[in-house]
Amino acid sequence: MAPSPPDPAPLVFDPDDCRRLRDALRYQGRDLHHRSYAVDSRRRELLWEEMDRCLALADRIERHLDALDGADAG
């Protein structure tokens, strides 16, 4: 059996990168919602699921940024 490759180094983003990612995810969520009006109900559910995932990740990033701001202030 071939040895498995080493685990990649974790990604590290500075706060500005996190803000851009958060904003891009929110934009994507809005776009998915807008597109959902032009498709059938089965496809709409899939788009809404993806929209929810985008917005949930944007919220996680927002909480992370809030924690960073709180750590800097304290």
Side-chain angles (χ1 to χ4, degrees):
M1 183 185 322
S4 60
D7 290 333
L11 294 174
V12 178
F13 299 105
D14 66 35
D16 286 337
D17 291 334
C18 289
R19 286 181 191 90
R20 278 190 286 282
L21 287 167
R22 176 202 59 200
D23 294 344
L25 287 163
R26 287 180 177 161
Y27 180 86
Q28 182 66 30
R30 285 190 300 268
D31 183 61
L32 289 166
H33 185 260
H34 178 73
R35 289 176 27 205
S36 73
Y37 289 104
V39 297
D40 63 41
S41 62
R42 185 173 100 21
R43 179 77 173 136
R44 184 176 302 122
E45 287 181 31
L46 294 172
L47 290 174
W48 285 350
E49 287 175 18
E50 191 62 25
M51 176 190 71
D52 289 343
R53 287 186 193 109
C54 286
L55 296 176
L57 183 52
D59 289 344
R60 285 179 54 202
I61 293 171
E62 181 73 27
R63 288 190 300 274
H64 173 74
L65 289 168
D66 289 345
L68 288 176
D69 288 343
D72 289 344

